[in-house]
Amino acid sequence: MPLARLKSSWREFRRGKPGRRFQDWHEHRHGRGGAFLGACRLVLGLVLMLAGVVLMPAPGPGMAVVGLAAVLVARESRTAARVFDAIELRLRALLRRIRG
């Protein structure tokens, strides 16, 4: 059951509009589970983000770990959600220029 719920949440997040995806996620999900659980998610997200950055040079899931961490942090922080939306737009623009 938890895996199905995780997949459903991921699909919902991916359907979000680029440039608003993280902010919409924050508005929709913020505050569920109470303050303690929110603080735990924020700390876990920050730790995962650091681990993902450390893992990036090695082959493997570094970017996926950073992405998961960004979703967790954005769920708890409106400022982080705005920053991640801006980063997503810049990365998409960079990829468009690279691809031609």
Side-chain angles (χ1 to χ4, degrees):
M1 184 73 166
L3 185 58
R5 190 173 21 187
L6 182 64
K7 285 181 180 181
S8 173
S9 292
W10 179 250
R11 281 191 296 268
E12 178 186 338
F13 177 77
R14 295 249 336 185
R15 279 192 302 260
K17 180 182 175 191
R20 283 288 311 168
R21 184 186 325 259
F22 287 97
Q23 293 175 68
D24 291 344
W25 182 257
H26 171 78
E27 290 166 8
H28 182 68
R29 297 288 181 168
H30 180 69
R32 289 190 181 178
F36 177 74
L37 193 55
C40 290
R41 277 191 294 263
L42 186 60
V43 169
L44 177 63
L46 293 172
V47 169
L48 280 175
M49 195 170 291
L50 180 63
V53 168
V54 170
L55 290 172
M56 267 193 217
M63 286 300 293
V65 171
V66 170
L68 173 65
V71 170
L72 284 172
V73 171
R75 179 176 176 165
E76 300 305 321
S77 169
R78 182 180 312 276
T79 302
R82 288 180 184 145
V83 168
F84 293 140
D85 278 331
I87 290 171
E88 179 186 15
L89 290 177
R90 287 187 178 141
L91 286 175
R92 285 175 175 272
L94 177 65
L95 285 174
R96 277 193 301 272
R97 277 188 284 168
I98 289 171
R99 291 181 180 160

